[in-house]
Amino acid sequence: MPNVSRIKGFSVVANVVGGAAVGQTALYYVASAADEILVGDIVKLGSTSQNGVPTADLCGASDVPLGVVVGIVNAKQDPDGKMTTGSLTLDLPAVNQIAAAAAGYVLVNVDPNVIMEVEASNGTPAATDIGLNASHANGTRDATTRTSPAYLVFGSEATSYILNFHILGLARRVDNEIGASAKLLVRFNVHQFKAATGSTGI
């Protein structure tokens, strides 16, 4: 049966060194989002800070990833966990995204050893693609977007060490098979807290 396309960005599912889907999560500030930012998006490190909190922004295919967003801090909470003035916003999508050109805080899993599940799009994976490296795309998003549209780009897979993700295998489930819209397991090949360059795919 063909795979059903349900693009939802990158989901942390395990760790390269074994164990459960855990990793170091840190607070980052988005000063002016390049585009809408949601849970499941890959972000890069910024060049400044806010109240001592380092900045981050949406990561492009040619940028160095910092990690994957695992939480959006409500705009009415400050970095110390206190409420700011005004009423708490709970309405979607504002509560689970930072709007384009807007500011806010995000929680980022910055562990370079996490294993993530992501849907392949823009091409059809084959069994021979396992072990190669690939890039990602952030997908089309706007003010109404509630789920990350980020995906792994098929057509970009190669042995190149500069590609940001290493394909580990297929997510093993009865509703998932090698082919169009396959859900794959990947790790960071290039990462802010790893060596300056990644590894060559096999």
Side-chain angles (χ1 to χ4, degrees):
M1 186 174 71
N3 297 317
V4 176
S5 178
R6 294 191 182 94
I7 295 175
K8 58 179 182 179
F10 290 75
S11 302
V12 176
V13 296
N15 196 287
V16 172
V17 295
V22 296
Q24 181 63 47
T25 299
L27 184 69
Y28 285 83
Y29 180 72
V30 178
S32 179
D35 208 336
E36 282 78 12
I37 295 179
L38 302 102
V39 169
D41 282 338
I42 303 298
V43 291
K44 62 181 179 179
L45 186 64
S47 59
T48 184
S49 67
Q50 174 80 5
N51 298 320
V53 177
T55 55
D57 203 352
L58 203 59
C59 181
S62 60
D63 296 322
V64 175
L66 169 68
V68 57
V69 176
V70 295
I72 305 292
V73 178
N74 193 283
K76 290 298 179 180
Q77 280 188 301
D78 68 20
D80 298 321
K82 298 177 181 178
M83 292 293 297
T84 59
T85 58
S87 58
L88 187 66
T89 301
L90 297 177
D91 295 331
L92 294 171
V95 72
N96 65 345
Q97 72 161 227
I98 294 179
Y105 291 91
V106 293
L107 295 173
V108 181
N109 187 318
V110 296
D111 185 351
N113 296 312
V114 292
I115 296 174
M116 297 164 288
E117 181 179 315
V118 62
E119 184 170 318
S121 190
N122 204 48
T124 303
T128 52
D129 292 320
I130 305 303
L132 293 177
N133 298 331
S135 60
H136 79 290
N138 288 317
T140 302
R141 52 191 70 205
D142 58 32
T144 66
T145 308
R146 300 183 183 187
T147 304
S148 170
Y151 58 88
L152 200 67
V153 178
F154 263 73
S156 73
E157 70 277 13
T159 58
S160 175
Y161 67 89
I162 64 172
L163 295 172
N164 283 341
F165 298 95
H166 180 71
I167 304 166
L168 300 175
L170 181 73
R172 303 292 298 172
R173 290 196 303 273
V174 295
D175 63 344
N176 191 40
E177 62 185 23
I178 287 288
S181 302
K183 283 50 171 192
L184 300 175
L185 299 178
V186 301
R187 68 173 181 87
F188 287 110
N189 184 50
V190 179
H191 191 278
Q192 185 69 39
F193 300 146
K194 288 175 65 174
T197 57
S199 301
T200 299
I202 58 174

